[in-house]
């Protein structure tokens, strides 16, 4: 029999800091997900645990701030207690100048400019997003949508944090957020949809998942988001790392280092990739990069429009 799987979620329950996470922590407590004590203490608070009917285990680690903002301090205990886990996540809020409101969002971690990409597990990220969509509908959140974002890491902007620290924690991690304004952050049903989804990261529909590297487009690109929810004849797409156009430009991926950095991105995706999807409006130099990657990994490359009609796509 396969071993039971383990997930850990880092959730800031400090009432004087941030948004969303405290609501999620309280909802998990109220709905009975803190069923077991672990005897593990993280950032001064006890880690709580829930075991589902399949025997899969979910750990909820309290923090006083988002772990990405104090990664050097948190990293030793992350590795001490949770280094052998299957997946991890940080619950927080999303904001930004042009960010959409009323959104439940998930993204993989990496600092594109420096070419540092955290490990990514597409099947689990897909499972989580499908669960968020189910819970969104069940709670009547008709004005919300579930989305993925381009790969980034907020720790790259924190004090004394280096993107290379991402590689010192071996467990694939996702940022899991509600966005992107005060009303959305304080919407308890939106936070409830997020909270209830955390224990469904291992709930799998059994479809054959074809992992993609996505290139180009905007930070919240609808084409790559829609691909997560596209399936056909028992097959589906696995979306994790997305190198948005703005990061390709700021990271100067048209230069010699661009290929090397993009290779690191692909190698961070569990089980590799079967195709590359690129936004058709990318500049020619970045399309050349996609072609070079396709040749190196012997995988096809497709324009983003092709993801809308996936039947007949060839994979390696």
């Amino acid at each position: 029999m396969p071993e039971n799987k383990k997930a850990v979620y880092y959730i800031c329950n400090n009432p004087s800091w941030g948004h969303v996470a405290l609501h999620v922590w309280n909802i998990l407590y109220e709905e009975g997900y803190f069923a077991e004590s672990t005897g593990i203490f993280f950032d001064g608070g006890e880690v709580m645990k829930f075991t589902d009917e399949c025997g899969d285990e979910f750990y909820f680690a309290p923090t006083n701030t988002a772990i990405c903002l104090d990664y050097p301090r948190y990293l030793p205990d992350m590795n001490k207690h949770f280094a052998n886990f299957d997946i991890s996540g940080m619950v927080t809020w999303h904001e930004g100048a042009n960010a959409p409101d009323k959104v439940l969002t998930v993204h993989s971690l990496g600092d594109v400019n420096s070419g540092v990409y955290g490990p990514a597990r597409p099947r689990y990220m897909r499972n989580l997003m499908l669960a968020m969509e189910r819970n969104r509908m069940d709670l009547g959140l008709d004005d919300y949508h579930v989305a993925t974002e381009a790969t980034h890491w907020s720790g790259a902007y924190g004090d004394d944090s280096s993107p290379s620290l991402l590689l010192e924690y071996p467990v694939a991690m996702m940022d899991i957020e509600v966005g992107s304004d005060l009303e959305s952050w304080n919407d308890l049903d939106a936070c409830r949809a997020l909270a209830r989804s955390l224990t469904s990261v291992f709930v799998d529909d059994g479809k054959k998942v074809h992992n993609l590297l996505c290139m180009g487009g905007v930070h919240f690109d609808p084409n790559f988001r829609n691909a997560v929810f596209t399936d056909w004849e028992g097959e589906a797409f696995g979306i994790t790392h997305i190198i948005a156009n703005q990061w390709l430009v700021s990271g100067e991926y048209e230069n010699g280092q661009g290929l090397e950095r993009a290779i690191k991105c692909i190698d961070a995706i569990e089980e590799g990739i079967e195709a590359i999807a690129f936004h058709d409006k990318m500049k020619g130099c970045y399309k050349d990069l996609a072609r070079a990657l396709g040749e190196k990994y012997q995988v096809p490359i497709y324009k983003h429009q092709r993801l809308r009609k996936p039947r007949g796509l060839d994979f390696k």
Side-chain angles (χ1 to χ4, degrees):
M1 294 181 63
E3 292 185 5
N4 295 336
K5 295 181 282 293
K6 295 181 179 181
V8 59
Y9 298 103
Y10 302 98
I11 306 174
C12 178
N13 63 352
N14 180 352
S16 66
W17 189 91
H19 309 283
V20 176
L22 179 61
H23 292 318
V24 170
W25 183 269
N26 290 338
I27 289 165
L28 290 167
Y29 170 76
E30 293 162 3
E31 298 198 353
Y33 289 99
F34 293 169
E36 306 169 56
S37 298
T38 64
I40 300 171
F41 284 82
F42 192 90
D43 205 13
E46 187 171 11
V47 176
M48 304 307 293
K49 177 182 173 185
F50 175 78
T51 303
D52 69 12
E53 59 186 11
C54 297
D56 294 330
E57 299 174 354
F58 305 88
Y59 292 68
F60 307 98
T63 67
N64 285 303
T65 187
I67 58 169
C68 62
L69 299 182
D70 204 355
Y71 214 66
R73 182 169 68 89
Y74 285 119
L75 188 59
D77 280 343
M78 291 165 64
N79 279 318
K80 177 181 178 180
H81 299 297
F82 310 116
N84 65 339
F85 277 45
D86 296 279
I87 194 69
S88 64
M90 183 184 76
V91 174
T92 184
W93 77 94
H94 182 272
E95 63 180 324
N98 298 308
D101 297 329
K102 300 186 184 305
V103 63
L104 304 169
T105 180
V106 182
H107 69 83
S108 56
L109 304 187
D111 182 57
V112 179
N113 285 357
S114 62
V116 175
Y117 293 89
R121 305 196 75 172
R123 183 173 288 276
Y124 292 156
M125 182 162 159
R126 177 175 180 270
N127 289 348
L128 180 62
M129 293 186 67
L130 293 182
M132 292 170 80
E133 178 67 4
R134 290 193 300 270
N135 284 307
R136 180 194 68 79
M137 292 189 293
D138 288 346
L139 289 165
L141 295 168
D142 297 334
D143 49 351
Y144 279 78
H145 70 282
V146 178
T148 186
E149 302 172 54
T151 297
H152 65 284
W153 186 49
S154 299
Y157 312 104
D159 294 337
D160 300 322
S161 291
S162 165
S164 63
L165 292 176
L166 275 175
L167 305 181
E168 295 186 22
Y169 184 53
V171 184
M173 184 180 291
M174 303 170 288
D175 277 6
I176 309 163
E177 307 166 347
V178 176
S180 299
D181 65 352
L182 187 62
E183 180 182 354
S184 302
W185 300 331
N186 288 316
D187 187 329
L188 292 184
D189 279 337
C191 294
R192 197 176 313 278
L194 188 160
R196 291 177 177 176
S197 300
L198 299 178
T199 54
S200 294
V201 71
F202 301 128
V203 176
D204 197 295
D205 60 11
K207 290 183 168 57
K208 180 176 176 57
V209 174
H210 301 284
N211 295 345
L212 305 180
L213 170 67
C214 298
M215 299 177 61
V218 296
H219 189 74
F220 278 92
D221 197 278
N223 300 285
F224 301 141
R225 176 267 177 202
N226 292 341
V228 175
F229 298 99
T230 298
D231 61 77
W232 69 103
E233 299 171 355
E235 301 182 60
F237 294 121
I239 309 292
T240 49
H241 284 311
I242 301 171
I243 311 178
N245 192 70
Q246 69 188 82
W247 303 118
L248 288 168
V249 174
S250 63
E252 299 181 344
Y253 273 62
E254 69 275 15
N255 295 333
Q257 285 187 320
L259 178 61
E260 179 183 344
R261 291 172 176 173
I263 287 171
K264 291 179 181 178
C265 180
I266 293 173
D267 290 346
I269 300 173
E270 184 188 43
E271 298 183 351
I273 62 169
E274 295 185 54
I276 296 168
F278 69 92
H279 200 283
D280 194 31
K281 292 185 179 180
M282 282 198 315
K283 290 183 177 180
C285 58
Y286 303 126
K287 292 178 181 177
D288 290 341
L289 174 60
R291 295 185 188 99
L293 290 168
E295 291 177 6
K296 174 176 175 56
Y297 289 92
Q298 292 297 290
V299 298
I301 63 172
Y302 296 112
K303 296 179 180 179
H304 71 271
Q305 297 95 330
R306 191 68 178 84
L307 302 180
R308 301 170 190 166
K309 298 180 179 180
R311 287 180 176 79
L313 285 178
D314 290 325
F315 298 98
K316 75 167 185 178

